[in-house]
Amino acid sequence: MAEITTRIVRVFEVPRRLLDDFLAMPEASQVGVYSLVGDGDDADMPSLYIGQTGNVGKRLAEHNEKKDFWSRALVIVSLTNSLTQTHVTFLEWQCIKEAKQVGRYQLENGNGGSKPHTPAPLEADCLEIYDTMRVLVATLGHPIFEAVAKPVGETNAKELFFCTAGGANARGEYTAEGFVVLKGSTGRLENVPSIAGKSDERFRQKLLDVGVMAAEGDKVVFTKDHLFRSPSMAAVALLGRTANGWETWKASDGRTLHQVMRQPAS
């Protein structure tokens, strides 16, 4: 459970196997917004479903019967039990819009929700609630509304790393979550024979299948900023071969990622 003491928003992270424990809590009967989160990996985004309801417990029980993909739910309610249907309808629409824009998760929603008629003071309240829930769900380890890379124009050139081996032309950022290959980066399409039929080949094909990379001639192009758990998997995606990303990714001055991040400054 997470909250900010000066705000009215409370967020529960509910592992699916502990759903019955949440259903027994008084908050389960409240009006609320919720997200169902499924696991992902380096090649595939985690799944996400965003919804709203007048009774979060009842709705989650229904999803437990009908939806297989999720492993945990994030439930957003009010400490004062003061959320209305207009609040949660607006918040559902806002959350879906922002999650799509950020692109960290594969949305399972069939539509984008609908923005209700919201007077300006009520909309301001909703946006304040959204800002609070955005911080809280990220604090719980689910950065649904946080970009994987800094916005264009905010990245310092010294923070960028480059991969130019094997004909690649790629840019990336090393972050607290892993390594982000930036949109527009290119690599080789063909795999080397040594990974044929192995996990690295399947990994690259999955990136193509889900649309993270697209084939253009003899190249692959990243269609979006994409987070990898390690620099090495980011390098494999670009080069079509086994690679040590700590040596392959280099800063603009030629130092490797290993030299920049792992070796103490002299």
Side-chain angles (χ1 to χ4, degrees), residues 94-113:
Q94 176 74 11
C95 289
I96 292 173
K97 177 171 71 76
E98 294 296 328
K100 282 183 176 179
Q101 183 174 333
V102 168
R104 276 182 177 265
Y105 291 73
Q106 180 65 46
L107 279 174
E108 301 290 331
N109 292 74
N111 57 62

Side-chain angles (χ1 to χ4, degrees), residues 142-169:
H142 302 280
I144 295 170
F145 310 111
E146 310 296 325
V148 296
K150 292 182 179 179
V152 175
E154 292 187 15
T155 304
N156 189 312
K158 293 181 180 179
E159 298 175 315
L160 289 176
F161 292 88
F162 304 87
C163 177
T164 57
N169 183 13

Side-chain angles (χ1 to χ4, degrees), residues 2-39:
E3 61 186 66
I4 298 173
T5 54
T6 57
R7 309 284 179 88
I8 67 167
V9 178
R10 174 175 286 169
V11 179
F12 292 90
E13 180 180 19
V14 185
R16 190 166 185 169
R17 68 181 182 84
L18 298 180
L19 179 59
D20 286 344
D21 293 348
F22 174 73
L23 297 181
M25 299 175 69
E27 289 87 351
S29 63
Q30 288 192 26
V31 176
V33 185
Y34 63 90
S35 297
L36 306 178
V37 182
D39 298 326

Side-chain angles (χ1 to χ4, degrees), residues 44-245:
D44 198 6
M45 294 181 289
S47 299
L48 176 70
Y49 181 89
I50 297 170
Q52 55 80 20
T53 177
N55 185 308
V56 288
K58 181 178 179 181
R59 184 62 56 85
L60 290 181
E62 292 172 355
H63 288 319
N64 192 39
E65 292 290 332
K66 299 178 181 178
K67 294 186 184 297
D68 294 330
F69 74 88
W70 62 283
S71 59
R72 56 194 58 239
L74 300 169
V75 179
I76 297 91
V77 297
S78 165
L79 284 167
T80 56
N81 199 9
S82 57
L83 293 182
T84 67
Q85 195 62 45
T86 302
H87 281 108
V88 295
T89 302
F90 181 96
L91 288 167
E92 177 192 47
W93 169 81
Q94 176 74 11
C95 289
I96 292 173
K97 177 171 71 76
E98 294 296 328
K100 282 183 176 179
Q101 183 174 333
V102 168
R104 276 182 177 265
Y105 291 73
Q106 180 65 46
L107 279 174
E108 301 290 331
N109 292 74
N111 57 62
S114 58
K115 182 181 180 181
H117 171 67
T118 315
L122 181 56
E123 182 168 332
D125 286 344
C126 289
L127 291 174
E128 182 177 356
I129 292 169
Y130 167 76
D131 285 339
T132 303
M133 60 180 281
R134 177 180 61 80
V135 172
L136 292 176
V137 297
T139 301
L140 289 171
H142 302 280
I144 295 170
F145 310 111
E146 310 296 325
V148 296
K150 292 182 179 179
V152 175
E154 292 187 15
T155 304
N156 189 312
K158 293 181 180 179
E159 298 175 315
L160 289 176
F161 292 88
F162 304 87
C163 177
T164 57
N169 183 13
R171 299 178 304 141
E173 295 177 21
Y174 184 60
T175 75
E177 296 179 79
F179 197 91
V180 179
V181 177
L182 299 180
K183 179 180 178 180
S185 294
T186 63
R188 57 178 286 168
L189 176 62
E190 185 179 358
N191 296 313
V192 299
S194 61
I195 71 168
K198 297 182 179 178
S199 60
D200 283 345
E201 181 183 53
R202 293 190 293 271
F203 164 68
R204 296 191 83 226
Q205 186 59 51
K206 191 172 184 180
L207 288 169
L208 289 165
D209 292 342
V210 300
V212 172
M213 300 192 310
E216 293 187 7
D218 62 350
K219 302 286 186 183
V220 292
V221 180
F222 273 72
T223 62
K224 54 175 286 184
D225 299 339
H226 188 72
L227 174 67
F228 294 90
R229 297 178 187 178
S230 74
S232 294
M233 294 311 296
V236 169
L238 288 159
L239 302 178
R241 60 172 173 81
T242 302
N244 180 351

